[in-house]
Amino acid sequence: MGEYILAAIVEHKPGVLHKVSNMFRKRNFNIESITVGACETGDIARMTITVQGDEATVEQVVKQLQKLVDVIKVSRLEPSRSVVRELALVKVYTADSKAKSDVVNYATIFRGRIVDVSRDSMIIEITGSPTKIDAFVELVKSYGIKEFARTGVVAMSRGLKSLKVEE
Amino acid sequence: MKMSGSRALIESLKKEGVKVIFGIPGGAIMPVYDVLYDEKEIRHILMRHEQCAAHAADGYARAVRGPGVCMATSGPGATNLVTGIANAYMDSSPVIAITGQVATHLIGRDAFQETDIIGITTPITKYNYQVRRVEDIPRIVKEAFYIASTGRPGPVLIDVPRDMQTSVADVDFNVKIDIRGYKPNIEPHPLQVKKAVDILVSSERPIILAGGGVHWSKAYGELLTLAELLMAPVATTFMGKGVIPENHPLALGCIGMHGRIEANKSIMAADAILAVGVRFSDRSTGKVDEFCHDAKIIHIDIDPSEIRKNVPVHLPIVADAKIALKAIIDEMIHRGFKREKSEWIKRIEMLKKECEDSEPSKEITAVNAIKLLRKVLPENAIVATEVGQNQMWASLHFRVLKTGTFISSGGLGTMGFGFPASLGAKVAMPDVPVVDIAGDGSFLMTEQDLATSVVEDIPVIVMILNNSSLGMVAQWQRFFFGRRYSHTDLKGVPDFAKLAEAFGARGVRVNSLNELEQVLREAVKSDVTVVIDVPIPREEDVLPIVPPGKSLKDMIC
Ligand SMILES: Cc1ncc(C[n+]2csc(CCOP(=O)(O)OP(=O)(O)O)c2C)c(N)n1
């Protein structure tokens, strides 16, 4: 068992996400996370999907994705040869000044940004690999996490190699 | 050209060559039906249940090996199609389903007879569309037919909101389609072809396993040529039944849970398997870990996701069956390879002799009735089946003599499929006798379409093998549940002969094989549907059987 990252270029139109997620459910594949966003041309979107499974399962996932009419291209991203990023917003309870300064310090170390401050809380925006985000959460947990939102990963292979649709 | 969406839909269907639609009208599809009212080029056949409309379109599709069209209203009309669509999906049949839908502004508000048929059919269609602009209709229809009938065929649904049927727009039929995400690969990779030939010519005990894909790509000629060049026996999956005339010396019949002994034994003894257009379903392979693990498997399929889905293979070839087989033949001819009769073939011949069907006795049994049916029917007759023992007896004992004349619900195993499918096939092939080999349980699931067969003048023959029980389930209860017949006794109801007569068809209950023969001979010439009720022993079993979860080697004979 391992975690695999897939990138798919899909038609950017209503119902496509449903068709993709439906396929995962129907084939009994596990999605860890799925992100979707329009591509630069607007008529296509890119999905980044992380799945758990063994080699044979992932081979099937890729083929089943490719089989969907609305999926134009699929590629497997090698984690070691890819840039993998996720963004998280963490609202931390910071009632006393020690908590405030600790959290600001941790945020600085993790290259996070303080994007909201109120009397009793802060929102930190943090970007990086999923493990980096996990580590940050682990550190600030003791102060009390009021709210937490993460995007799921987006990823891209390093170098010139690219997943593009020829026009 | 300015026209309504309904007109655009019908014109688009005509451009795809549609001659027949099986359907039932209702509120949300009425504007389309209004166009059909004086349509001359398309025959609409009014069914009595939408499930039958879908099955009839499926039967039609299988008879012509091309698209079949069904139509229904929104809500219950659409949901009644679902079993038929799922059935077509499992057996890769190019059914086009057109459904009415509530008007666009009502979608999502739980309007009267609104149902999310797109959501419901997403997992059981190759693709589905909801029309959002009248101008899109010609493109959508063209794409739908293209997707349904190319690559691995499959059903496509087009959902048409009511306002899209009534609105008028400037419609252009001169559309070119280019679907970026759908480019089926039909040409085999030349290197893979060479490697396949390497394996085949060096094998001692080659076998061909042919499936439904051979039907859909109409690769009958190539299959036979290759089998004879290689001197390889041909076993089929259930969906592949009839890809080779079953009286051919190299034909072994079906493998699988209710496969023929010679087919199961041969495939388990082979050292190389050329599998073409098959998906290695659990019903075909038996316990998959013990399925031919010593043989080299070459797997030809047009659907890449079938490769290694269920069994490991040595050599995948993603291509159309006909083109791939042709390429393999060409390569063998190029190498000057032609095998003469081998030890292997002698062994197969012996095995076939041992397993030969005995002459029918005088007793009125399912197996005897089926053998008799074969004797009476001309070679080109089309035979459909229901599901259960009747289907497996047909698989085991009805020898298909002309390719592509056997129609049955394999993947979904849908009771009630056979009769409406036989109507669809008869509409496609009006000059050929069409028979539904039925069970009493199955026939009662779709028998209301006897009305269609009578009113629309679609005469078929229904031969009910009547064991007054849900026979296949009862057999499992006998074998695996200590004869505890939980809810499988149908108590001899109804009187099928009277039922048929009530519809204006002919109904006969026969009491001997002689009588059956006589009635069958008349039925073949009848211009009205004939329902023949054949009483068979209640506990007649389908044998052999590979118990569920067991290896093909563990056949109970
Ligand atoms: C729609 C549907 N419901 C239930 C089943 C489960 N099932 C499989 S075979 C069978 C019995 C079929 O009985 P009958 O049509 O009388 O045929 P027989 O087996 O007696 O030949 C049943 C209930 C099914 N395949 N399809």
Side-chain angles (χ1 to χ4, degrees), chain B residues 51 83 386-391 393 412-416 438-445 465-474 488 490 536 542:
Chain B
Q51 181 185 343
T83 299
E386 298 295 345
V387 166
Q389 290 182 306
N390 59 85
Q391 178 184 35
W393 281 316
L412 200 64
T414 314
M415 289 170 70
D440 46 329
S442 297
F443 183 55
L444 218 49
M445 288 202 177
L465 302 172
N466 191 346
N467 49 16
S468 194
S469 53
L470 297 171
M472 184 55 96
V473 182
T488 45
L490 297 175
I536 59 163
V542 179

Side-chain angles (χ1 to χ4, degrees), chain B residues 325-459:
Chain B
L325 291 178
K326 176 86 173 39
I328 292 175
I329 294 167
D330 288 348
E331 175 67 19
M332 299 220 321
I333 291 173
H334 177 72
R335 295 191 196 181
F337 182 86
K338 166 140 184 47
R339 206 191 304 254
E340 296 308 321
K341 217 173 197 180
S342 57
E343 279 305 306
W344 172 234
I345 286 297
K346 283 182 206 147
R347 195 169 141 189
I348 297 282
E349 279 171 354
M350 293 242 296
L351 191 57
K352 280 187 73 167
K353 204 163 250 146
E354 281 168 30
C355 301
E356 213 156 76
D357 275 6
S358 54
E359 278 301 303
S361 62
K362 287 273 167 284
E363 222 187 330
I364 181 160
T365 63
V367 174
N368 284 342
I370 285 172
K371 288 180 184 166
L372 183 60
L373 179 69
R374 174 68 286 172
K375 202 174 97 185
V376 173
L377 286 182
E379 282 202 1
N380 63 352
I382 293 177
V383 164
T385 80
E386 298 295 345
V387 166
Q389 290 182 306
N390 59 85
Q391 178 184 35
M392 292 301 122
W393 281 316
S395 171
L396 282 160
H397 303 293
F398 186 85
R399 282 187 169 206
V400 176
L401 302 179
K402 181 167 182 281
T403 52
T405 55
F406 184 78
I407 294 175
S408 191
S409 166
L412 200 64
T414 314
M415 289 170 70
F417 168 76
F419 176 53
S422 71
L423 297 180
K426 181 71 182 182
V427 169
M429 307 280 183
D431 301 330
V432 167
V434 178
V435 181
D436 175 32
I437 297 179
D440 46 329
S442 297
F443 183 55
L444 218 49
M445 288 202 177
T446 48
E447 103 296 329
Q448 76 286 330
D449 273 81
L450 277 170
T452 308
S453 95
V454 171
V455 174
E456 293 276 345
D457 197 15
I458 313 169

